[in-house]
Amino acid sequence: MFENLSEKLQRTFKNLRGQGTITEENIGEALREIRVALLEADVNLNVVKDLIEHIREKAVGQEVLTALSPTEQVVKIVRDELVALLGKDTARFQFASKPPTVILMAGLQGSGKTTTSGKLAAWLQKGGHRPMLVSVDVYRPAAREQLRVVAKSIKANLYEGDTKGEPAGTALVERLAKEARREAIISGCDTLIVDTAGRLHIDEELMGEMESLKKLLTPQEILFIADSMTGQDAVKSADEFHKRLALTGIILTKMDGDARGGAALSIRHVTGQPVKFIGMGEKPDAFEPFHPDRIVSRILGMGDIMTLIEKAEEKLDKKKSEEFARKALSGDGFSLEDFRDQLRQIRKLGSLQSIMKMLPSVGPLAGMQQMADQVDEKQFVRVEAIINSMTAKERNHHEIISGSRRKRIATGSGTTVQEVNQLLRQYAQMRKMFKNVGKGGMLQRRAMGMLGGMRGGR
Amino acid sequence: MIQTLFGSLNEPEKKNIFDRMKDAVSRTRDSLGERIESVIALTREVDESTLEELEMSLLASDLGVTTTGEIIDALRERAKRQQIRDGAELKDLLKEQIKNILDEQQRPVRAVAPPEIIMMVGVNGTGKTTTSGKLAAYYRAQGKSVLMCAADTFRAAAIEQLEVWGQRSGVEIIKTRQGGDPSAALYDALQAAKARSNDVLIVDTAGRLHTKSSLMAELDKMRRTTQRIIPNGPHEVLLVMDATTGQNGLQQARLFTESAGVTGIVLTKLDGTAKGGIAVAIARELNLPVRFVGVGEKIEDLLPFDSKAFVDSLLGA
């Protein structure tokens, strides 16, 4: 198995631990490790060089002034450098004083422009805007059809236009764009999202077409859609697109994979433009504003707790959760019925894998991120099936579930008696554990320790 | 491989396959080759700083820290042993080393009782559908009868996109509706290919991130569906990878191999400035050969992989 950037850095810092002061020598060791880690995360070679120099300067300069341990010191410096590079604030969106605001989507082939156009439209709709979509990709087969399907699925306005058999080329592209803007004004749409054909940054003709589109539409936002899995070449394409078009922002796609996303640092560095959004999946709502500090936290192994909390607040039924907590911690304990409700709630947050990946990889939850890949999501389905196969009485009084009842439940849920037994055993353990917590037991102390650990790592 | 290579050289007006590949990857050379050239011109003897510069160049081509480290270590050893004194010799050694890594994985093309089943897999946006279309045309040009299966029932308009490619190459398509079960479409296609005794069946699957276990399990299911009807199938499972891919490519190759039994790589979009160096790392660490390269958007822009052309283009002839 390979290590992710955060694990790498943690190992580095472990090596640093136990040494009283930072010398040129021991920081050199750590810097080499950080360099390798950044390179493996696909951060551009030159960006890495710059970063390492900054980190070196700061580390050695601060040496005597701080009361922090060397480990904490280096963690803080690396963290600050990465955050500084990505820009401290979540970028805002530019809107035109006189609508429609025009957003031009640009990027290489397969970076996810069409999917992202749909997500952006859905995001704008959620924010009370009335976006209109148009595809001027007259080159790739079925590209315009793809946007049509996407627009329909999110019930967004679409300017379909008619190619009228006109050959694919810049003239057609410009005509469609012009018509779409007129249509947006007529139908009272306040934003127009223009999905363009993917193109190579060295394709003179097609890059020229982008320039004329820009001239024609004077867009408020020109967004570069970049694949988070991109390697060293990211700077070349981003640089060229920026030179030709003066980009206003970046959207990083496919962030729900395990790519370490060093491209974000590279592209930001070379264009100076902020990453505004990230794509987190194939569903229209898998789209989030970019938070540099959170991403850096994830990179450094602090997990992405903020995103998890936000998701939880958005999707969970607070009353139900509180009810569960009250029951679980008090004398009677929670029933299997409550347990099933809770399972359903958790699944609303997304796959267990994605939740585990957001946990910090330091402290008592260490190892959860790695375990995420081994999680069998189907286990959830089976557990729910088992509980579903119980009678209401059984769910609320687990102690009545006898051998013959277990057999019936197993048959009903398509599982085995062993699996039913296992679930009942685990349920009993959890009940006991929670009750202990209610009495101020071990788990609470452990939870406190966890918070302490998180603070310590920062 | 060579046989396949020359098998496609029938049409005289077409540019030599070797030159076309070189053309395509020469932009890569502009950067990496020039850099190495400049390194080599400057140094009379092979010292550590030369090697360090070479190391940087390989890293900048996405070969990755581990693979680059091993190549450079071996190069240092050989340079010492063979008393290499000038840069040109060093470059030849480096080329030979990289070529060897790639060549070791190339296997002779096996004869397969038709229909040969070729499954295209990969993450989103690497060019699976485009490559499927080009590959169909490639086999058609060899006089083979080809059938395609549109098993990407997830992405909007993926089926329509493959249909256009089918029309371009004159290849029929077996499909289902969007949102349908890909295994069902595959089942129909397999039956059809068998009944019509097609030579080749190309299966275009939906793009998926290798971290999504349920989607990866779907690929495994498709593989099992294939085996029920064509016992030795699928004969090739090609992982379509974007040449711009960085170090995540290794993880892609690893996990797709686990679920789908990848047999080779197709490196797409090599007509850009990206180097596709990750293919070297994949060959070394996962023993997977590169089978084809994509060098443009036209139907004939898919070429059988040739390691000499690749390395020559990468490091300069």
Side-chain angles (χ1 to χ4, degrees), chain A residues 110-112 227-229 252-257 259 279-280, chain B residues 124-126 209:
Chain A
S111 57
D227 188 328
S228 61
M229 293 179 276
L252 214 55
T253 61
K254 308 177 200 173
M255 281 291 282
D256 48 330
M280 293 292 291
Chain B
N124 316 61
T126 56
L209 290 180

Side-chain angles (χ1 to χ4, degrees), chain B residues 41-82:
Chain B
L42 280 171
T43 41
R44 286 285 124 94
E45 56 184 78
V46 184
D47 53 19
E48 276 305 310
S49 69
T50 317
L51 285 166
E52 226 165 81
E53 283 292 331
L54 286 175
E55 186 180 0
M56 290 296 121
S57 307
L58 295 184
L59 286 174
S61 315
D62 288 323
L63 267 78
V65 177
T66 317
T67 301
T68 298
E70 287 201 8
I71 290 176
I72 294 295
D73 284 349
L75 190 64
R76 181 185 291 118
E77 279 308 304
R78 285 188 66 180
K80 255 188 233 156
R81 243 195 350 259
Q82 299 181 9

Side-chain angles (χ1 to χ4, degrees), chain A residues 302-328:
Chain A
M302 305 301 295
D304 195 4
I305 289 281
M306 282 309 290
T307 302
L308 188 58
I309 291 171
E310 251 178 30
K311 255 191 172 174
E313 275 174 354
E314 189 181 343
K315 306 231 162 139
L316 293 188
D317 184 336
K318 209 173 161 197
K319 230 169 100 193
K320 268 194 177 168
S321 299
E322 277 169 3
E323 175 74 12
F324 178 82
R326 195 187 52 74
K327 264 196 194 170

Side-chain angles (χ1 to χ4, degrees), chain B residues 140-210:
Chain B
R140 283 278 290 159
Q142 292 182 5
K144 291 185 173 168
S145 69
V146 183
L147 189 66
M148 284 199 280
C149 171
D152 180 355
T153 58
F154 183 80
R155 178 166 63 88
I159 298 168
E160 287 84 346
Q161 189 182 348
L162 192 68
E163 275 180 322
V164 174
W165 281 106
Q167 283 154 18
R168 287 181 186 172
S169 54
V171 167
E172 212 187 309
I173 287 183
I174 304 290
K175 58 177 181 183
T176 172
R177 66 193 158 74
Q178 198 201 331
D181 179 5
S183 283
L186 174 62
Y187 183 88
D188 290 347
L190 290 164
Q191 295 289 15
K194 213 169 149 185
R196 302 176 197 181
S197 49
N198 286 113
D199 294 317
V200 182
L201 170 67
I202 297 167
V203 185
D204 180 29
T205 67
R208 67 202 74 214
L209 290 180
H210 47 288

